[in-house]
Amino acid sequence: SASESVDGNLDLAAEAVATGATAAVETIVHLGQTFGAAVVIAVVSTLLTLYFLRDGERVWDRALSHFRTDVRDDVQAAGSRAFNVLGGYMIGTGLISFVGAGSQFVIMVVLGLPLAMPVFVLSFFLGFIPYIGGFISTLIAFLIAVAVGSTADIVIMFIWTIAFNLVTGNIVAPLVYGKTVHIHPAIVLVAIPAGSAIAGILGMFIVVPALGVVAVSWRTVLRVMSVRKSGTDPEAAVPSEVLPQAEAADSS
């Protein structure tokens, strides 16, 4: 209306305002959806954690009751090993995150950069996302150095950022996961990019514990399936060359 009142001389400004308003509304809607999704995830995660802590043992006992008596002990042992693998993965990830965030905190304090503690906390939680989390956290520290640091600070943070991501992603993480999840570091090194190619960030996060669970339970799964199929004694249902390996895995 204002543009028409001056014979269309404000058409360009009117179009700019309309375009900006549309973009602003879309941004607000997107932020609202993101915030809503984050709230839902937080609430559901909290409730699931509460239920699993309260009723997890009872649910597991009920699941075991559906198995035959002659294979129930094997399933129990496989479940215990799988639980230990998942716990080891989370402990290993927490250790990598803490060491990475701590080293970043130290270097920011030494260089006199601000926001060292908030970046430490953020880096610790981002460290639970393989590769991507460490890259984001170190990028934040590097941008702080660019914003307020000297040229020497920027150079030091740049070198540290590159070295940290290369060493953590290709050396430290495979070795730690190899010890905690009992998978060879070479397999971990290849599995994480493969998981990313298949399922993105989620695939990167779950591929290592999934492989660990499969590695400690596949023999038991085969044994139980063989018993159900044949309906015979579990020791007789499994080929003789498989039993020594399974027994060795159970004892370890």
Side-chain angles (χ1 to χ4, degrees):
S1 299
S3 179
E4 290 175 356
S5 66
V6 291
D7 299 328
N9 292 324
L10 296 178
D11 284 348
L12 183 61
E15 292 178 2
V17 170
T19 303
T22 302
V25 171
E26 292 176 349
T27 301
I28 292 173
V29 171
H30 178 71
L31 291 176
Q33 292 175 343
T34 303
F35 178 76
V39 171
V40 171
I41 291 173
V43 172
V44 172
S45 299
T46 303
L47 291 176
L48 285 177
T49 301
L50 174 64
Y51 292 146
F52 283 141
L53 289 175
R54 187 188 67 179
D55 302 325
E57 185 175 357
R58 184 169 56 187
V59 172
W60 176 246
D61 291 338
R62 183 177 299 176
L64 284 177
S65 66
H66 294 286
F67 290 92
R68 289 172 41 174
T69 306
D70 51 4
V71 298
R72 193 171 298 165
D73 291 340
D74 292 335
V75 176
Q76 174 66 42
S80 298
R81 293 194 298 269
F83 180 80
N84 291 334
V85 165
L86 295 176
Y89 174 76
M90 295 307 299
I91 293 174
T93 303
L95 179 62
I96 295 173
S97 300
F98 181 79
V99 172
S103 61
Q104 186 166 279
F105 174 80
V106 170
I107 193 171
M108 291 184 70
V109 170
V110 171
L111 295 178
L113 299 176
L115 303 176
M117 182 55 68
V119 171
F120 166 80
V121 176
L122 181 62
S123 298
F124 175 76
F125 288 105
L126 286 175
F128 283 83
I129 305 175
Y131 289 123
I132 304 297
F135 175 77
I136 295 175
S137 63
T138 53
L139 179 62
I140 292 173
F142 175 72
L143 292 177
I144 292 176
V146 172
V148 301
S150 62
T151 303
D153 295 338
I154 296 174
V155 172
I156 293 173
M157 284 301 299
F158 177 78
I159 296 174
W160 181 85
T161 298
I162 299 299
F164 174 82
N165 285 281
L166 289 176
V167 172
T168 301
N170 297 285
I171 299 177
V172 177
L175 290 176
V176 172
Y177 289 145
K179 293 293 185 181
T180 57
V181 190
H182 307 294
I183 298 178
H184 195 278
I187 298 178
V188 176
L189 188 62
V190 175
I192 293 179
S196 174
I198 295 173
I201 295 178
L202 180 61
M204 296 174 66
F205 184 76
I206 68 174
V207 64
V208 174
L211 288 177
V213 170
V214 171
V216 299
S217 62
W218 69 271
R219 293 185 179 90
T220 301
V221 172
L222 291 179
R223 187 183 307 176
V224 172
M225 292 176 62
S226 299
V227 169
R228 288 195 170 187
K229 183 177 179 180
S230 62
T232 58
D233 181 78
E235 298 296 328
V238 183
S240 58
E241 64 271 11
V242 177
L243 284 175
Q245 299 178 8
E247 293 171 355
D250 293 342
S251 63
S252 63

